[in-house]
Amino acid sequence: MTACNHSLRRGVLGQIQIAALYGLILLSGRRGMRFTSAFASKTATFTTHKSFAELIDRYDAFILDQFGVIHNGVNALDGAVNCVEQLCKAGKSLIILSNTSAPAKTALAKLPKYGFDVKMFVGGAVTSGEEASHYIRKTYGSKAHSSSKAIMFTWDQRDDKNPRLTVLPEEFIAQCGKVEIARTVKEADFLLFHGCEVWYQGDGQVVSLNPYIEEGSFESVDPLLEECLSANLPAVCANPDNIVRSPTGGIAHMPGKV
């Protein structure tokens, strides 16, 4: 989430107080309000609250994560839709801050299927995928006379019901400027961790990276990574999650772990 945090810091710190609480960040515009961070001191602790009702009058805005906080990629979590509605009724500003590798507009567009009204998120969304695409465009996708090429790990688009498939690989690459898909490490300029189910080679062609995502095994990943390392390829990670709980209750190993 580093890229997202940097985006939020610009023009924000010094004007508001920020407090972190598990899967969400709470913002307050009230001067003098302070908070204790678990990262500030070895002896610092968090306070556990049973309900947003205990917090709603203390903050002016709420920054909410997506997966595991308001939905699981398939359904809204119990009480999440009502909670968001009550925050809006109370006049609170809401924004999505997510590790998803999807662009911000794509992340927002999927919220209605979980029962959320996009208009309630007046601050829109900041996603690591959006920030990664901006970085790629600036660093690799702005050459005057040529395109850069990327080795792309992504999500499996062969299953149109895949809950991790938030955006097609070609659609993401199109947002990155003058960047094309590399079919070999030799022709690549950088390595892109957009997902971790398949190595996408363009034109719908993929090489499976299983069993990494389900078992965390690197047996199908290491040979390609070693080749990229030997070529001294830089890497960009659009989803820095290490592990997540899947909608079925199991554990999924994510791009950040790679």
Side-chain angles (χ1 to χ4, degrees):
M1 191 63 75
T2 302
C4 293
N5 286 340
H6 286 169
S7 176
L8 285 169
R9 289 190 184 112
R10 293 193 294 267
V12 175
L13 293 185
Q15 300 176 27
I16 55 180
Q17 299 288 332
I18 301 179
L21 177 64
Y22 302 107
L24 57 113
I25 298 174
L26 312 173
L27 302 187
S28 170
R30 299 173 184 174
R31 294 182 180 179
M33 187 172 289
R34 304 186 67 182
F35 68 95
T36 300
S37 168
F39 301 102
S41 167
K42 293 182 179 180
T43 60
T45 58
F46 285 115
T47 300
T48 301
H49 297 275
K50 295 182 178 179
S51 170
F52 269 91
E54 303 172 28
L55 302 169
I56 196 168
D57 292 329
R58 296 174 56 187
Y59 299 96
D60 301 308
F62 290 75
I63 298 182
L64 304 176
D65 195 354
Q66 288 192 102
F67 295 89
V69 176
I70 62 174
H71 66 77
N72 62 7
V74 177
N75 301 299
L77 299 186
D78 291 344
V81 172
N82 181 61
C83 180
V84 168
E85 289 174 347
Q86 294 304 314
L87 289 172
C88 288
K89 287 180 180 179
K92 307 302 176 180
S93 297
L94 304 179
I95 184 173
I96 292 290
L97 177 65
S98 175
N99 269 351
T100 178
S101 53
K105 65 178 182 180
T106 304
L108 288 172
K110 288 184 175 291
L111 291 179
K113 81 171 187 178
Y114 307 122
F116 297 99
D117 184 350
V118 175
K119 294 180 181 178
M120 293 182 177
F121 296 92
V122 296
V126 178
T127 70
S128 54
E130 184 79 22
E131 295 298 309
S133 69
H134 293 330
Y135 174 81
I136 293 170
R137 176 182 287 271
K138 179 179 178 180
T139 308
Y140 301 104
S142 300
K143 294 181 180 180
H145 303 294
S146 63
S147 298
S148 296
K149 292 190 175 183
I151 292 289
M152 187 178 191
F153 284 16
T154 187
W155 308 115
D156 195 344
Q157 63 177 331
R158 295 171 297 181
D159 179 6
D160 58 6
K161 295 183 179 180
N162 184 352
R164 303 185 187 96
L165 184 62
T166 52
V167 63
L168 294 174
E170 295 288 358
E171 292 176 0
F172 183 83
I173 287 296
Q175 189 166 307
C176 296
K178 297 169 65 175
V179 175
E180 300 175 358
I181 299 297
R183 294 181 180 272
T184 66
V185 173
K186 186 176 181 180
E187 66 178 3
D189 297 290
F190 67 102
L191 172 61
L192 171 58
F193 296 111
H194 177 257
C196 55
E197 291 177 328
V198 297
W199 169 18
Y200 183 69
Q201 297 182 318
D203 299 324
Q205 300 299 310
V206 300
V207 175
S208 175
L209 297 177
N210 287 334
Y212 170 75
I213 193 158
E214 294 181 354
E215 301 176 11
S217 170
F218 283 84
E219 65 182 70
S220 60
V221 179
D222 273 349
L224 182 57
L225 292 182
E226 290 171 357
E227 190 176 352
C228 290
L229 181 61
S230 296
N232 200 30
L233 287 186
V236 179
C237 185
N239 183 327
D241 280 331
N242 289 327
I243 58 172
V244 298
R245 186 168 295 281
S246 68
T248 57
I251 294 296
H253 301 266
M254 303 298 281
K257 186 176 179 180
V258 178

